[in-house]
Amino acid sequence: MGLDPVADSSLMWIAEDLRDAPLPPGWVKQRSTTGDLYFYNEVTGESLRKHPMDIQYKQLIAEHRLEQAMTGATAPPADQFGTMTIRSMEDSLLMAPGAEHLMAAKLSVPSANDFDRAAAGGGGGGALLPQYVLHTVLAPRSGAAPQESVPILWGCAMQQDSVTSIFSLAREAEGVEFACVVARRGCARSTLYVSEDSSGEKEMSAMVIREAHPGSATASVEVIIPMPRADGKAVGLPAKLREDALLAQYEGARKGLVVLRGQVKADARALEMELRLPSKPAAPKEGEAGTSQPRKREPLLKLRQTAGGADMDIKYRDKITPVQAMHVVLVLNRWWTGRKGTHL
C-alpha cells in the first residue's frame, strides 16, 4: 500500500485493517497453479492480485497525507479514527493551507499528441479530451524516493481557441464536473465557477492578464479572491448566467476581496510567475525621517514551467485553495501555449 513501517507507523493500522477486512459480496480467495493468492469475483469473472478493497484504503491514506501536507496534522490511532477525523478530499480542495504551510504541487499537462488526437476525433477508443492533472507533492518521508504525489484535481479542455477556453474540473479521472474555468479574450480575463449542491454555481476566483503589447515577454497578472472564512474555507459570489460578477466587483472597487498581483515572464523556454499581496510601507527606523521603501511580501503563489511538455512546478499557501491554484495554472498554461500558436 506504499506505507513505510517507520515513517508511516501511525498509519500501519490501516494496512492491518485491510488484511483482516471481509471480502465484498461475490469475491472469494483462490490459489493459482503456482500457489499464488489472488481474489476472484464469481459473478463477473474478474481476478485481482490485490484485495478488492485496496483502492478504498489507498484513498483513505491519500486523504490523510493531503490533510497532513496542508495542516501538519498527525494521524489518529485506530480506536479514535472516524469519518469526521480528517477532511474529505472534496473539503480539502476548498480549504486554504494557511500562512505557515507551503504547499508544493505540480500540474501534468497534455502533450502535443494528445491535442492532435483530440482534434482528429480520438481514434480507436473515441474522442479523448486533453487532460490536465493537479498533484499535491508530499513532504519527503523516511526511505521514500522518489518524492511522492497525490492527484487531487483533473481538468479537461472542453474548448480551446483564440477567443475562449473552457476547462471542466473533476475530483477524479473521468469524474463528474464540480467546477469549471472559463477564460475569455485569449485568456486575458477568466473566472472559476464551483457548483455547491443545490445553491448553484459560485464564482470562487477571477484573473486578469495584461500584456504591455502583443508578444511581450512579460505581463501583469491580478488574481481576485473573495475573502475566505476565518478557518480558511473559500467562499464565492453567486454566479448569474456566468456574467463575471467577481470581476465587476473588483473593477467597482468593492471591499471584501483579496487581490494578488505579480508579473509573469514568458518566452520560448519557460514560464515563471510570483503572486503577492500588495506591499505595505515599512515602518521608519528610530531616529530616521522620511518614508521607507515598501517591504516586499513573500509570494503566496509561485510557478515555473519549461517548454517541451514538462510538468508545471507550483508552490502556494495562505489564502489560495487547491481549486483556485488550479484556475491560475490552467489559464496561464493555456495563455503561454496560445502565444506561440502551439502546445509546448
Short mmCIF file of all heavy atoms in Angstrom, two decimals, residues 78-137:
data_model
loop_
_atom_site.label_atom_id
_atom_site.label_comp_id
_atom_site.label_asym_id
_atom_site.label_seq_id
_atom_site.Cartn_x
_atom_site.Cartn_y
_atom_site.Cartn_z
N ALA A 78 -6.06 3.97 15.67
CA ALA A 78 -7.20 3.29 15.06
C ALA A 78 -8.47 3.42 15.89
O ALA A 78 -9.56 3.58 15.35
CB ALA A 78 -6.86 1.81 14.85
N ASP A 79 -8.34 3.36 17.24
CA ASP A 79 -9.55 3.39 18.06
C ASP A 79 -10.18 4.77 18.15
O ASP A 79 -11.26 4.94 18.70
CB ASP A 79 -9.24 2.87 19.48
CG ASP A 79 -8.17 3.68 20.19
OD1 ASP A 79 -7.60 4.59 19.55
OD2 ASP A 79 -7.89 3.39 21.36
N GLN A 80 -9.48 5.80 17.61
CA GLN A 80 -10.04 7.15 17.61
C GLN A 80 -10.37 7.65 16.22
O GLN A 80 -10.80 8.78 16.04
CB GLN A 80 -9.07 8.13 18.28
CG GLN A 80 -8.79 7.84 19.72
CD GLN A 80 -7.81 8.82 20.32
OE1 GLN A 80 -7.54 9.87 19.76
NE2 GLN A 80 -7.24 8.46 21.46
N PHE A 81 -10.15 6.80 15.22
CA PHE A 81 -10.33 7.24 13.84
C PHE A 81 -11.79 7.13 13.45
O PHE A 81 -12.44 6.12 13.66
CB PHE A 81 -9.48 6.38 12.90
CG PHE A 81 -9.31 6.99 11.54
CD1 PHE A 81 -8.23 7.82 11.28
CD2 PHE A 81 -10.23 6.76 10.53
CE1 PHE A 81 -8.07 8.40 10.03
CE2 PHE A 81 -10.06 7.34 9.29
CZ PHE A 81 -8.99 8.16 9.05
N GLY A 82 -12.33 8.20 12.87
CA GLY A 82 -13.71 8.20 12.40
C GLY A 82 -13.83 8.93 11.09
O GLY A 82 -12.88 9.56 10.63
N THR A 83 -15.00 8.91 10.51
CA THR A 83 -15.17 9.54 9.19
C THR A 83 -15.01 11.05 9.25
O THR A 83 -14.77 11.68 8.24
CB THR A 83 -16.57 9.21 8.62
OG1 THR A 83 -17.56 9.62 9.57
CG2 THR A 83 -16.71 7.72 8.38
N MET A 84 -15.13 11.65 10.45
CA MET A 84 -15.01 13.09 10.57
C MET A 84 -13.63 13.51 11.07
O MET A 84 -13.38 14.68 11.31
CB MET A 84 -16.08 13.63 11.53
CG MET A 84 -17.50 13.35 11.07
SD MET A 84 -17.86 14.02 9.43
CE MET A 84 -17.78 15.77 9.79
N THR A 85 -12.72 12.57 11.22
CA THR A 85 -11.41 12.90 11.79
C THR A 85 -10.59 13.74 10.84
O THR A 85 -9.91 14.67 11.24
CB THR A 85 -10.65 11.62 12.14
OG1 THR A 85 -11.44 10.85 13.04
CG2 THR A 85 -9.32 11.95 12.81
N ILE A 86 -10.61 13.42 9.55
CA ILE A 86 -9.89 14.21 8.57
C ILE A 86 -10.88 14.72 7.54
O ILE A 86 -11.95 14.16 7.34
CB ILE A 86 -8.78 13.38 7.87
CG1 ILE A 86 -9.38 12.20 7.10
CG2 ILE A 86 -7.72 12.93 8.84
CD1 ILE A 86 -8.36 11.44 6.28
N ARG A 87 -10.51 15.82 6.92
CA ARG A 87 -11.38 16.36 5.88
C ARG A 87 -11.41 15.43 4.68
O ARG A 87 -10.43 14.76 4.36
CB ARG A 87 -10.87 17.74 5.45
CG ARG A 87 -11.01 18.80 6.50
CD ARG A 87 -10.81 20.17 5.86
NE ARG A 87 -9.46 20.34 5.36
CZ ARG A 87 -8.54 21.08 5.95
NH1 ARG A 87 -8.81 21.68 7.09
NH2 ARG A 87 -7.34 21.22 5.43
N SER A 88 -12.51 15.40 4.01
CA SER A 88 -12.58 14.65 2.77
C SER A 88 -11.77 15.38 1.70
O SER A 88 -11.42 16.54 1.84
CB SER A 88 -14.04 14.53 2.32
OG SER A 88 -14.53 15.80 1.93
N MET A 89 -11.46 14.67 0.63
CA MET A 89 -10.75 15.29 -0.48
C MET A 89 -11.56 16.48 -1.01
O MET A 89 -10.99 17.52 -1.36
CB MET A 89 -10.52 14.26 -1.58
CG MET A 89 -9.54 14.69 -2.64
SD MET A 89 -7.83 14.70 -2.05
CE MET A 89 -7.44 12.95 -2.12
N GLU A 90 -12.89 16.34 -1.03
CA GLU A 90 -13.74 17.42 -1.53
C GLU A 90 -13.57 18.67 -0.68
O GLU A 90 -13.42 19.78 -1.19
CB GLU A 90 -15.20 16.96 -1.51
CG GLU A 90 -16.20 18.04 -1.89
CD GLU A 90 -17.63 17.53 -1.86
OE1 GLU A 90 -17.81 16.31 -1.72
OE2 GLU A 90 -18.54 18.37 -1.96
N ASP A 91 -13.60 18.52 0.65
CA ASP A 91 -13.44 19.68 1.53
C ASP A 91 -12.06 20.30 1.38
O ASP A 91 -11.91 21.51 1.40
CB ASP A 91 -13.67 19.28 2.98
CG ASP A 91 -15.13 18.96 3.27
OD1 ASP A 91 -16.00 19.44 2.52
OD2 ASP A 91 -15.39 18.22 4.22
N SER A 92 -11.03 19.45 1.24
CA SER A 92 -9.66 19.96 1.17
C SER A 92 -9.45 20.82 -0.06
O SER A 92 -8.63 21.75 -0.04
CB SER A 92 -8.67 18.80 1.18
OG SER A 92 -8.68 18.13 2.43
N LEU A 93 -10.17 20.55 -1.13
CA LEU A 93 -9.99 21.32 -2.36
C LEU A 93 -10.45 22.77 -2.20
O LEU A 93 -10.03 23.64 -2.96
CB LEU A 93 -10.76 20.67 -3.51
CG LEU A 93 -10.28 19.28 -3.93
CD1 LEU A 93 -11.18 18.73 -5.01
CD2 LEU A 93 -8.84 19.31 -4.39
N LEU A 94 -11.32 23.02 -1.21
CA LEU A 94 -11.84 24.36 -0.99
C LEU A 94 -11.30 25.00 0.28
O LEU A 94 -11.84 25.99 0.77
CB LEU A 94 -13.38 24.32 -0.94
CG LEU A 94 -14.07 23.88 -2.23
CD1 LEU A 94 -15.57 23.74 -2.01
CD2 LEU A 94 -13.79 24.86 -3.36
N MET A 95 -10.20 24.43 0.82
CA MET A 95 -9.58 24.96 2.03
C MET A 95 -8.19 25.49 1.71
O MET A 95 -7.40 24.83 1.03
CB MET A 95 -9.47 23.88 3.10
CG MET A 95 -10.79 23.38 3.64
SD MET A 95 -11.71 24.59 4.61
CE MET A 95 -10.63 24.76 6.03
N ALA A 96 -7.88 26.70 2.20
CA ALA A 96 -6.54 27.25 2.04
C ALA A 96 -5.63 26.62 3.10
O ALA A 96 -6.06 26.36 4.22
CB ALA A 96 -6.57 28.76 2.21
N PRO A 97 -4.37 26.36 2.76
CA PRO A 97 -3.48 25.66 3.70
C PRO A 97 -3.01 26.49 4.88
O PRO A 97 -2.49 25.95 5.83
CB PRO A 97 -2.29 25.25 2.81
CG PRO A 97 -2.30 26.23 1.69
CD PRO A 97 -3.74 26.57 1.46
N GLY A 98 -3.17 27.80 4.85
CA GLY A 98 -2.69 28.63 5.94
C GLY A 98 -1.32 29.22 5.63
O GLY A 98 -0.57 28.70 4.80
N ALA A 99 -0.98 30.30 6.34
CA ALA A 99 0.26 31.02 6.06
C ALA A 99 1.50 30.20 6.37
O ALA A 99 2.55 30.39 5.76
CB ALA A 99 0.28 32.33 6.84
N GLU A 100 1.39 29.28 7.34
CA GLU A 100 2.58 28.56 7.78
C GLU A 100 2.83 27.27 7.01
O GLU A 100 3.84 26.61 7.21
CB GLU A 100 2.48 28.24 9.28
CG GLU A 100 1.38 27.25 9.65
CD GLU A 100 -0.01 27.86 9.74
OE1 GLU A 100 -0.17 29.02 9.33
OE2 GLU A 100 -0.92 27.17 10.21
N HIS A 101 1.92 26.90 6.12
CA HIS A 101 2.07 25.65 5.37
C HIS A 101 2.22 25.95 3.88
O HIS A 101 1.27 26.33 3.21
CB HIS A 101 0.86 24.73 5.60
CG HIS A 101 0.75 24.25 7.00
ND1 HIS A 101 -0.19 24.73 7.88
CD2 HIS A 101 1.48 23.35 7.70
CE1 HIS A 101 -0.05 24.13 9.05
NE2 HIS A 101 0.95 23.29 8.96
N LEU A 102 3.42 25.78 3.38
CA LEU A 102 3.69 25.98 1.96
C LEU A 102 3.40 24.68 1.22
O LEU A 102 4.03 23.66 1.47
CB LEU A 102 5.15 26.39 1.75
CG LEU A 102 5.57 26.68 0.30
CD1 LEU A 102 4.84 27.90 -0.23
CD2 LEU A 102 7.08 26.87 0.22
N MET A 103 2.42 24.72 0.33
CA MET A 103 2.03 23.54 -0.42
C MET A 103 2.83 23.45 -1.71
O MET A 103 2.96 24.44 -2.44
CB MET A 103 0.55 23.60 -0.77
CG MET A 103 -0.39 23.56 0.42
SD MET A 103 -0.34 21.96 1.26
CE MET A 103 -1.08 20.92 0.00
N ALA A 104 3.38 22.29 -1.97
CA ALA A 104 4.07 22.03 -3.23
C ALA A 104 3.14 21.21 -4.12
O ALA A 104 2.47 20.29 -3.65
CB ALA A 104 5.38 21.28 -3.00
N ALA A 105 3.09 21.56 -5.39
CA ALA A 105 2.21 20.86 -6.32
C ALA A 105 2.84 20.84 -7.69
O ALA A 105 3.84 21.51 -7.95
CB ALA A 105 0.84 21.54 -6.36
N LYS A 106 2.25 20.06 -8.56
CA LYS A 106 2.69 20.04 -9.96
C LYS A 106 1.48 19.81 -10.84
O LYS A 106 0.52 19.12 -10.47
CB LYS A 106 3.75 18.97 -10.21
CG LYS A 106 3.27 17.54 -9.99
CD LYS A 106 4.39 16.54 -10.29
CE LYS A 106 3.91 15.10 -10.10
NZ LYS A 106 4.98 14.12 -10.41
N LEU A 107 1.51 20.43 -12.01
CA LEU A 107 0.45 20.27 -12.99
C LEU A 107 0.98 19.45 -14.16
O LEU A 107 1.92 19.88 -14.84
CB LEU A 107 -0.04 21.62 -13.49
CG LEU A 107 -1.16 21.58 -14.54
CD1 LEU A 107 -2.48 21.14 -13.90
CD2 LEU A 107 -1.33 22.93 -15.22
N SER A 108 0.40 18.29 -14.36
CA SER A 108 0.73 17.47 -15.53
C SER A 108 -0.09 17.98 -16.71
O SER A 108 -1.32 18.09 -16.61
CB SER A 108 0.43 16.00 -15.28
OG SER A 108 1.20 15.50 -14.22
N VAL A 109 0.57 18.32 -17.79
CA VAL A 109 -0.11 18.92 -18.93
C VAL A 109 -0.17 17.95 -20.10
O VAL A 109 0.70 17.07 -20.23
CB VAL A 109 0.60 20.23 -19.36
CG1 VAL A 109 0.61 21.22 -18.21
CG2 VAL A 109 2.01 19.96 -19.83
N PRO A 110 -1.17 18.08 -20.95
CA PRO A 110 -1.27 17.20 -22.12
C PRO A 110 -0.11 17.45 -23.08
O PRO A 110 0.44 18.55 -23.15
CB PRO A 110 -2.60 17.58 -22.76
CG PRO A 110 -3.33 18.37 -21.72
CD PRO A 110 -2.30 19.02 -20.87
N SER A 111 0.23 16.42 -23.81
CA SER A 111 1.27 16.56 -24.83
C SER A 111 0.66 17.07 -26.12
O SER A 111 -0.57 17.10 -26.29
CB SER A 111 1.94 15.20 -25.08
OG SER A 111 1.01 14.30 -25.69
N ALA A 112 1.52 17.45 -27.06
CA ALA A 112 1.04 17.88 -28.36
C ALA A 112 0.26 16.76 -29.06
O ALA A 112 -0.74 17.00 -29.73
CB ALA A 112 2.22 18.32 -29.23
N ASN A 113 0.69 15.50 -28.85
CA ASN A 113 -0.02 14.37 -29.45
C ASN A 113 -1.44 14.23 -28.90
O ASN A 113 -2.36 13.83 -29.61
CB ASN A 113 0.75 13.07 -29.21
CG ASN A 113 2.04 13.00 -30.02
OD1 ASN A 113 2.16 13.66 -31.06
ND2 ASN A 113 2.99 12.21 -29.56
N ASP A 114 -1.62 14.55 -27.59
CA ASP A 114 -2.95 14.49 -27.00
C ASP A 114 -3.90 15.46 -27.70
O ASP A 114 -5.05 15.13 -27.99
CB ASP A 114 -2.89 14.82 -25.51
CG ASP A 114 -2.13 13.77 -24.71
OD1 ASP A 114 -2.16 12.60 -25.11
OD2 ASP A 114 -1.51 14.13 -23.69
N PHE A 115 -3.41 16.67 -27.98
CA PHE A 115 -4.26 17.65 -28.65
C PHE A 115 -4.52 17.23 -30.09
O PHE A 115 -5.62 17.41 -30.62
CB PHE A 115 -3.59 19.03 -28.61
CG PHE A 115 -3.69 19.71 -27.27
CD1 PHE A 115 -2.65 19.62 -26.37
CD2 PHE A 115 -4.82 20.41 -26.92
CE1 PHE A 115 -2.74 20.25 -25.14
CE2 PHE A 115 -4.92 21.05 -25.69
CZ PHE A 115 -3.87 20.96 -24.79
N ASP A 116 -3.51 16.65 -30.74
CA ASP A 116 -3.69 16.22 -32.12
C ASP A 116 -4.74 15.10 -32.20
O ASP A 116 -5.58 15.09 -33.10
CB ASP A 116 -2.36 15.73 -32.70
CG ASP A 116 -1.37 16.87 -32.90
OD1 ASP A 116 -1.81 18.04 -32.94
OD2 ASP A 116 -0.15 16.59 -33.00
N ARG A 117 -4.67 14.14 -31.25
CA ARG A 117 -5.64 13.04 -31.25
C ARG A 117 -7.05 13.57 -30.99
O ARG A 117 -8.02 13.11 -31.60
CB ARG A 117 -5.26 12.01 -30.19
CG ARG A 117 -4.15 11.07 -30.62
CD ARG A 117 -4.07 9.87 -29.69
NE ARG A 117 -3.67 10.28 -28.35
CZ ARG A 117 -2.41 10.32 -27.93
NH1 ARG A 117 -1.44 9.98 -28.76
NH2 ARG A 117 -2.13 10.68 -26.70
N ALA A 118 -7.18 14.54 -30.06
CA ALA A 118 -8.49 15.10 -29.77
C ALA A 118 -9.06 15.81 -31.00
O ALA A 118 -10.24 15.70 -31.32
CB ALA A 118 -8.40 16.06 -28.59
N ALA A 119 -8.19 16.55 -31.72
CA ALA A 119 -8.63 17.27 -32.91
C ALA A 119 -9.05 16.31 -34.01
O ALA A 119 -9.96 16.59 -34.80
CB ALA A 119 -7.52 18.19 -33.41
N ALA A 120 -8.41 15.12 -34.04
CA ALA A 120 -8.72 14.14 -35.07
C ALA A 120 -9.89 13.23 -34.70
O ALA A 120 -10.28 12.37 -35.46
CB ALA A 120 -7.48 13.29 -35.36
N GLY A 121 -10.40 13.40 -33.48
CA GLY A 121 -11.54 12.58 -33.06
C GLY A 121 -11.16 11.42 -32.19
O GLY A 121 -11.97 10.53 -31.95
N GLY A 122 -9.93 11.40 -31.67
CA GLY A 122 -9.55 10.38 -30.70
C GLY A 122 -8.93 9.16 -31.34
O GLY A 122 -7.86 8.72 -30.94
N GLY A 123 -9.59 8.55 -32.30
CA GLY A 123 -9.05 7.36 -32.93
C GLY A 123 -9.12 6.15 -32.02
O GLY A 123 -8.71 6.19 -30.87
N GLY A 124 -9.64 5.04 -32.51
CA GLY A 124 -9.66 3.81 -31.74
C GLY A 124 -10.72 3.83 -30.66
O GLY A 124 -11.80 3.32 -30.82
N GLY A 125 -10.43 4.42 -29.53
CA GLY A 125 -11.35 4.40 -28.40
C GLY A 125 -12.29 5.58 -28.34
O GLY A 125 -12.86 5.84 -27.29
N GLY A 126 -12.43 6.35 -29.38
CA GLY A 126 -13.30 7.50 -29.34
C GLY A 126 -12.54 8.74 -28.93
O GLY A 126 -11.38 8.70 -28.55
N ALA A 127 -13.21 9.88 -29.01
CA ALA A 127 -12.56 11.15 -28.73
C ALA A 127 -12.20 11.27 -27.26
O ALA A 127 -13.03 11.05 -26.39
CB ALA A 127 -13.49 12.29 -29.14
N LEU A 128 -10.97 11.57 -26.96
CA LEU A 128 -10.50 11.78 -25.60
C LEU A 128 -10.07 13.24 -25.46
O LEU A 128 -9.25 13.73 -26.23
CB LEU A 128 -9.32 10.85 -25.29
CG LEU A 128 -9.63 9.34 -25.33
CD1 LEU A 128 -8.34 8.55 -25.11
CD2 LEU A 128 -10.66 8.97 -24.29
N LEU A 129 -10.64 13.92 -24.49
CA LEU A 129 -10.31 15.32 -24.29
C LEU A 129 -8.94 15.45 -23.63
O LEU A 129 -8.59 14.67 -22.75
CB LEU A 129 -11.37 15.98 -23.41
CG LEU A 129 -12.78 16.05 -23.99
CD1 LEU A 129 -13.76 16.55 -22.94
CD2 LEU A 129 -12.81 16.94 -25.22
N PRO A 130 -8.15 16.43 -24.07
CA PRO A 130 -6.85 16.66 -23.41
C PRO A 130 -7.06 16.90 -21.92
O PRO A 130 -7.93 17.68 -21.52
CB PRO A 130 -6.32 17.91 -24.11
CG PRO A 130 -7.02 17.94 -25.43
CD PRO A 130 -8.38 17.36 -25.17
N GLN A 131 -6.27 16.22 -21.09
CA GLN A 131 -6.49 16.24 -19.64
C GLN A 131 -5.29 16.81 -18.89
O GLN A 131 -4.14 16.49 -19.19
CB GLN A 131 -6.81 14.84 -19.13
CG GLN A 131 -7.33 14.79 -17.71
CD GLN A 131 -7.89 13.44 -17.36
OE1 GLN A 131 -7.12 12.50 -17.14
NE2 GLN A 131 -9.20 13.31 -17.29
N TYR A 132 -5.58 17.66 -17.92
CA TYR A 132 -4.59 18.21 -17.01
C TYR A 132 -4.84 17.60 -15.63
O TYR A 132 -6.00 17.44 -15.23
CB TYR A 132 -4.72 19.73 -16.91
CG TYR A 132 -4.61 20.47 -18.22
CD1 TYR A 132 -5.66 20.49 -19.14
CD2 TYR A 132 -3.45 21.19 -18.54
CE1 TYR A 132 -5.57 21.18 -20.34
CE2 TYR A 132 -3.35 21.89 -19.74
CZ TYR A 132 -4.42 21.88 -20.62
OH TYR A 132 -4.32 22.58 -21.81
N VAL A 133 -3.77 17.31 -14.88
CA VAL A 133 -3.93 16.74 -13.55
C VAL A 133 -3.08 17.52 -12.57
O VAL A 133 -1.87 17.70 -12.78
CB VAL A 133 -3.52 15.24 -13.51
CG1 VAL A 133 -3.79 14.67 -12.13
CG2 VAL A 133 -4.27 14.45 -14.57
N LEU A 134 -3.72 18.00 -11.48
CA LEU A 134 -3.00 18.69 -10.42
C LEU A 134 -2.67 17.70 -9.33
O LEU A 134 -3.56 17.02 -8.80
CB LEU A 134 -3.85 19.84 -9.85
CG LEU A 134 -3.16 20.68 -8.78
CD1 LEU A 134 -2.03 21.50 -9.38
CD2 LEU A 134 -4.17 21.59 -8.08
N HIS A 135 -1.38 17.60 -8.99
CA HIS A 135 -0.90 16.70 -7.94
C HIS A 135 -0.40 17.52 -6.75
O HIS A 135 0.28 18.54 -6.94
CB HIS A 135 0.27 15.84 -8.43
CG HIS A 135 -0.04 15.02 -9.64
ND1 HIS A 135 -0.24 13.65 -9.58
CD2 HIS A 135 -0.16 15.35 -10.95
CE1 HIS A 135 -0.47 13.19 -10.80
NE2 HIS A 135 -0.43 14.20 -11.65
N THR A 136 -0.71 17.09 -5.54
CA THR A 136 -0.07 17.65 -4.36
C THR A 136 1.18 16.83 -4.08
O THR A 136 1.12 15.59 -4.00
CB THR A 136 -1.00 17.59 -3.14
OG1 THR A 136 -2.01 18.60 -3.28
CG2 THR A 136 -0.25 17.86 -1.85
N VAL A 137 2.32 17.49 -3.98
CA VAL A 137 3.58 16.82 -3.71
C VAL A 137 3.73 16.66 -2.21
O VAL A 137 3.64 17.64 -1.45
CB VAL A 137 4.77 17.62 -4.29
CG1 VAL A 137 6.09 16.93 -3.97
CG2 VAL A 137 4.61 17.78 -5.79
#
